Amino acid sequence: MSDQASGLRSLIDRRPSGVRLGNAQAVAVASGKGGVGKTFMAANLAVLAARAGRRVLLIDGDLGLANVDVALGLRCQHSIGEVLRGEVSLARAIEPGPCGVSVLAAGSGAEWLAHLDVGGLAVLQSELTNIGTAFDLIVIDCAAGIGRNVLFFAKVAGRVLLTLTPEPTALADAYALLKTLAADRSIDVQVVVNQALSTSDARNAYGRLRAVSGRFLAKEPCYVGHVPRDEDVRRSVRARQPVVTYSSDSRAACALDGIFRALLPPRASIALGGARGLAIPCVVGGAMASSSGAEAR
Ligand SMILES: Nc1ncnc2c1ncn2[C@@H]1O[C@H](COP(=O)(O)OP(=O)(O)OP(=O)(O)O)[C@@H](O)[C@H]1O
Ligand SMILES: [Mg+2]
């Protein structure tokens, strides 16, 4: 492990136990391969949560190649880059997005942001912990791959929605990320298959990932469901709107709604069954399984 990586680990491990981003629930949407649908997933889940009455902050964690603002048709005035340079406060950099979602944009085209050093990550962690008290849920749209920023967001959120498509390359890269995350047993990983051609296409993809991670990592991530490949998604992207508002009765929007309910149940049901370290019930193709990787019942 490099000095920088161990510096990052000790930085994050200094957080008070059980408190990551204020009192907010948090989920980092990540993937091994790029272009599988993380921004799509993060933006739509954030909007669904806001519509369900939660105070939601959507963070563009793809620092350096940010595009949450583009995806949502926003013209954000400020970004994480300015916060880290001390030019604006984090509270000022957060801007209103669709359906009451608050959005923290990130700079695009800035190499230093894409590879933040431990000092920059420390500032970011402290800012996010402070602002977390103002939100119920923080959704982070990560960059693709296993870079330091991705591992940072996974660690501070404590929970990763690992997004993949059924393609072999996406599966291989998803396993690479899973393997990297597996070093930290405090990170809960859940899987969503996007752009699936059918339910069995999605289940096969998850099954292959589960088998290989069970065999080599002795840990099986939970499956929260799949989103079908749907032309309405491409139309909504071109219209710069979340598909759940652009075409709320589309197959993709309906699937996202199911994933939202499985992934982010109301606080009450989390308190009953999903305290950290315990199994959080989630959906496997309509049946229930536990995040410890049990068979669908
Ligand atoms: N369920 C879907 N059905 C059809 N097309 C989809 C679906 N999900 C995503 N797409 C298409 O894939 C494109 C890439 O999605 P998105 O930008 O969310 O990927 P990403 O993982 O965030 O990419 P990057 O790694 O570059 O950040 C979208 O612009 C959209 O056209
Ligand atoms: Mg993206």
Side-chain angles (χ1 to χ4, degrees), residues 35-40 60 62 65-68 141-144:
V36 296
K38 295 176 297 299
T39 302
F40 156 73
D60 196 333
D62 194 351
L65 282 176
N67 58 15
V68 162
D141 175 29
C142 294

Short mmCIF file of all heavy atoms in Angstrom, two decimals, residues 35-40 60 62 65-68 141-144, ligand 2:
data_model
loop_
_atom_site.label_atom_id
_atom_site.label_comp_id
_atom_site.label_asym_id
_atom_site.label_seq_id
_atom_site.Cartn_x
_atom_site.Cartn_y
_atom_site.Cartn_z
N GLY A 35 -19.21 4.59 -18.23
CA GLY A 35 -20.32 4.64 -19.16
C GLY A 35 -21.44 3.64 -18.92
O GLY A 35 -22.29 3.43 -19.77
N VAL A 36 -21.46 3.02 -17.72
CA VAL A 36 -22.47 1.98 -17.46
C VAL A 36 -23.79 2.56 -16.94
O VAL A 36 -24.80 1.87 -16.91
CB VAL A 36 -21.95 0.92 -16.47
CG1 VAL A 36 -20.76 0.16 -17.05
CG2 VAL A 36 -21.58 1.54 -15.14
N GLY A 37 -23.77 3.84 -16.49
CA GLY A 37 -25.01 4.46 -16.04
C GLY A 37 -24.99 4.96 -14.60
O GLY A 37 -26.05 5.09 -13.99
N LYS A 38 -23.83 5.30 -14.06
CA LYS A 38 -23.76 5.79 -12.68
C LYS A 38 -24.47 7.13 -12.52
O LYS A 38 -25.23 7.33 -11.57
CB LYS A 38 -22.30 5.98 -12.23
CG LYS A 38 -21.50 4.73 -12.15
CD LYS A 38 -20.06 5.02 -11.80
CE LYS A 38 -19.34 5.85 -12.83
NZ LYS A 38 -19.24 5.26 -14.17
N THR A 39 -24.19 8.06 -13.44
CA THR A 39 -24.78 9.39 -13.31
C THR A 39 -26.30 9.30 -13.46
O THR A 39 -27.06 9.92 -12.70
CB THR A 39 -24.18 10.34 -14.37
OG1 THR A 39 -22.76 10.38 -14.17
CG2 THR A 39 -24.74 11.75 -14.26
N PHE A 40 -26.72 8.48 -14.40
CA PHE A 40 -28.15 8.21 -14.61
C PHE A 40 -28.78 7.66 -13.33
O PHE A 40 -29.82 8.12 -12.86
CB PHE A 40 -28.26 7.22 -15.78
CG PHE A 40 -29.50 6.39 -15.81
CD1 PHE A 40 -30.72 6.94 -16.15
CD2 PHE A 40 -29.46 5.03 -15.50
CE1 PHE A 40 -31.87 6.16 -16.18
CE2 PHE A 40 -30.59 4.25 -15.53
CZ PHE A 40 -31.80 4.81 -15.86
N ASP A 60 -21.68 15.56 -7.16
CA ASP A 60 -20.93 15.07 -8.32
C ASP A 60 -19.53 14.72 -7.84
O ASP A 60 -18.69 15.59 -7.62
CB ASP A 60 -20.88 16.13 -9.42
CG ASP A 60 -20.46 15.49 -10.74
OD1 ASP A 60 -19.75 14.46 -10.69
OD2 ASP A 60 -20.84 16.00 -11.81
N ASP A 62 -17.49 12.82 -9.52
CA ASP A 62 -16.60 12.52 -10.66
C ASP A 62 -15.75 13.77 -10.87
O ASP A 62 -15.87 14.49 -11.88
CB ASP A 62 -17.45 12.18 -11.89
CG ASP A 62 -16.62 11.55 -13.00
OD1 ASP A 62 -15.37 11.55 -12.87
OD2 ASP A 62 -17.20 11.08 -13.98
N LEU A 65 -14.13 15.30 -14.21
CA LEU A 65 -14.92 14.99 -15.42
C LEU A 65 -16.41 15.02 -15.05
O LEU A 65 -17.16 14.10 -15.36
CB LEU A 65 -14.55 13.61 -15.97
CG LEU A 65 -13.26 13.52 -16.76
CD1 LEU A 65 -12.97 12.08 -17.15
CD2 LEU A 65 -13.32 14.39 -18.02
N ALA A 66 -16.77 16.07 -14.36
CA ALA A 66 -18.11 16.14 -13.78
C ALA A 66 -19.18 16.37 -14.84
O ALA A 66 -18.94 17.06 -15.83
CB ALA A 66 -18.14 17.30 -12.79
N ASN A 67 -20.36 15.77 -14.64
CA ASN A 67 -21.46 16.06 -15.57
C ASN A 67 -22.85 15.91 -15.00
O ASN A 67 -23.83 15.87 -15.75
CB ASN A 67 -21.31 15.24 -16.87
CG ASN A 67 -21.27 13.75 -16.60
OD1 ASN A 67 -21.61 13.32 -15.52
ND2 ASN A 67 -20.85 12.99 -17.58
N VAL A 68 -22.98 15.86 -13.67
CA VAL A 68 -24.31 15.82 -13.06
C VAL A 68 -25.12 17.05 -13.47
O VAL A 68 -26.31 16.95 -13.80
CB VAL A 68 -24.21 15.73 -11.51
CG1 VAL A 68 -25.51 16.12 -10.85
CG2 VAL A 68 -23.81 14.32 -11.08
N ASP A 141 -22.29 10.61 -7.00
CA ASP A 141 -22.02 10.05 -8.33
C ASP A 141 -20.50 10.00 -8.51
O ASP A 141 -19.86 11.03 -8.67
CB ASP A 141 -22.67 10.96 -9.39
CG ASP A 141 -22.33 10.52 -10.80
OD1 ASP A 141 -22.10 9.32 -11.02
OD2 ASP A 141 -22.29 11.40 -11.69
N CYS A 142 -19.95 8.79 -8.45
CA CYS A 142 -18.49 8.65 -8.48
C CYS A 142 -17.95 8.57 -9.90
O CYS A 142 -18.68 8.30 -10.85
CB CYS A 142 -18.08 7.38 -7.74
SG CYS A 142 -18.41 7.42 -5.98
N ALA A 143 -16.64 8.73 -10.01
CA ALA A 143 -15.95 8.44 -11.27
C ALA A 143 -15.89 6.92 -11.45
O ALA A 143 -16.08 6.16 -10.50
CB ALA A 143 -14.53 9.00 -11.20
N ALA A 144 -15.63 6.48 -12.67
CA ALA A 144 -15.44 5.04 -12.91
C ALA A 144 -14.07 4.62 -12.37
O ALA A 144 -13.14 5.42 -12.27
CB ALA A 144 -15.50 4.77 -14.41
MG MG B 2 -20.97 9.63 -14.87
#
